[in-house]
Amino acid sequence: MATIETAAPSTGRRTLRRHRSGRTRGMLVFALPSMVWYLAFTIGPLIAMFVIAFYDWRGLASRPEWTGLANFERMFSDPRVLNATGVTLVHLVFSLPITIVGAFMVGYFLNLKLPGHRILRVVMFIPALISISALGMMFIAVLGPVGLVNGILQNLGIGATAWLADSSTALACVIGISIWSGVGFNAILFSARLSSIEEDVFAAADLDGAGHWRKMWSIAFPIALDYVGVLTMLQYLWTLFGTAGLILVLTQGGPGTSTETLSWLVFRFGYQDSQVGYSQALGLLLFILGVLGLLLIRRVLRARY
């Protein structure tokens, strides 16, 4: 009798292990296509970028030649790379905090559900629906020599300015356009996050006499801090890697080198100058800056993810 009682739990454990093993194999089968896709189109290109950075490759029609660290030695002594690094940092320092803080404030305002807030949500989301090429053409019409801004200035008796063709204003214009295109989309996301906060929390703050400014930064912001960190990281990556398209349609790095960013140089050397190996060396520098920036944001915002 004791033997039967001992064997029953043992059989049950073996059955449970077989069930778990079968379920694990089933999950692996379903996850396999995603893993293959990730390895082929994410890890694979990343490894290729590391490898190509050690070659002198003049394009797909030419044979790559091993150069070792020559591309990196050139990169660290190239004044254009130094200038582009400074321009990239200036772009990040000004656009990232303004975009995130402005988006959070607008998102809080949208969450108040004041009259017309639905229409305002649609208006704020419009920049996310505009392609980079259309966005560039729109702002060329606004900031061009005979554009909207200069037309208004001339009517006021103020001289016109070549905003995108003047080295003293071109970078500021690019930063302003980046902020304009980023605030609305992030504001909608912040509004969605803030809408999940219990109304009792804000009601208790109202009883304590807290105004909107205090509720925004003392209640809503700490509660949504992790979400702020996520959107800050995403906006950082877009600003670091995605400005090349905007610069291509607006200034093409000019006038001079005043709007050349690192992401633009990766495109410029890779596609226009046919220096693929050097372009990928710059891509590695950009990748490292991306990782370091994400770690810094995570540390500053004390993220738990």
Side-chain angles (χ1 to χ4, degrees), residues 1-243:
M1 187 70 177
T3 304
I4 295 175
E5 291 177 352
T6 304
S10 177
T11 303
R13 284 193 295 269
R14 286 196 299 269
T15 302
L16 181 60
R17 283 197 296 267
R18 285 197 298 269
H19 176 71
R20 289 177 177 175
S21 177
R23 186 173 60 179
T24 301
R25 286 195 296 269
M27 293 174 62
L28 288 175
V29 169
F30 283 109
L32 185 60
S34 299
M35 295 171 61
V36 171
W37 180 276
Y38 183 78
L39 291 173
F41 295 100
T42 302
I43 303 300
L46 185 61
I47 295 174
M49 180 179 68
F50 275 85
V51 174
I52 295 172
F54 293 93
Y55 283 85
D56 179 16
W57 192 10
R58 296 292 174 174
L60 296 178
S62 63
R63 183 184 298 274
E65 297 180 2
W66 176 265
T67 59
L69 298 175
N71 286 327
F72 297 96
E73 294 173 356
R74 174 188 170 188
M75 180 178 66
F76 289 118
S77 60
D78 192 341
R80 291 184 68 180
V81 174
L82 180 60
N83 173 77
T85 303
V87 172
T88 301
L89 292 177
V90 169
H91 196 156
L92 286 168
V93 166
F94 282 96
S95 67
L96 187 60
I98 294 176
T99 299
I100 295 300
V101 172
F104 183 80
M105 295 176 69
V106 174
Y108 178 86
F109 175 78
L110 292 174
N111 197 52
L112 296 178
K113 296 182 174 60
L114 299 176
H117 71 94
R118 290 186 177 87
I119 298 176
L120 185 58
R121 286 174 186 269
V122 174
V123 172
M124 296 299 295
F125 199 75
I126 286 177
L129 303 177
I130 302 175
S131 65
I132 290 181
S133 57
L135 182 68
M137 295 305 298
M138 181 177 70
F139 276 98
I140 287 176
V142 172
L143 299 171
V146 292
L148 177 63
V149 173
N150 280 333
I152 294 174
L153 293 177
Q154 288 176 343
N155 289 332
L156 295 175
I158 304 174
T161 300
W163 299 98
L164 294 173
D166 189 336
S167 59
S168 63
T169 58
L171 180 58
C173 290
V174 173
I175 292 173
I177 295 169
S178 296
I179 294 172
W180 179 85
S181 62
V183 166
F185 179 74
N186 286 301
I188 299 299
L189 297 179
F190 275 127
S191 177
R193 172 63 181 91
L194 295 176
S195 65
S196 65
I197 300 177
E198 295 291 339
E199 294 184 1
D200 293 343
V201 176
F202 293 115
D206 290 333
L207 292 177
D208 291 337
H212 284 302
W213 186 262
R214 184 179 174 187
K215 287 190 292 185
M216 182 190 305
W217 297 112
S218 299
I219 298 176
F221 186 79
I223 291 176
L225 186 59
D226 278 352
Y227 200 72
V228 172
V230 171
L231 291 190
T232 302
M233 288 181 176
L234 294 177
Q235 185 64 32
Y236 170 78
L237 292 177
W238 187 93
T239 304
L240 186 64
F241 295 104
T243 54

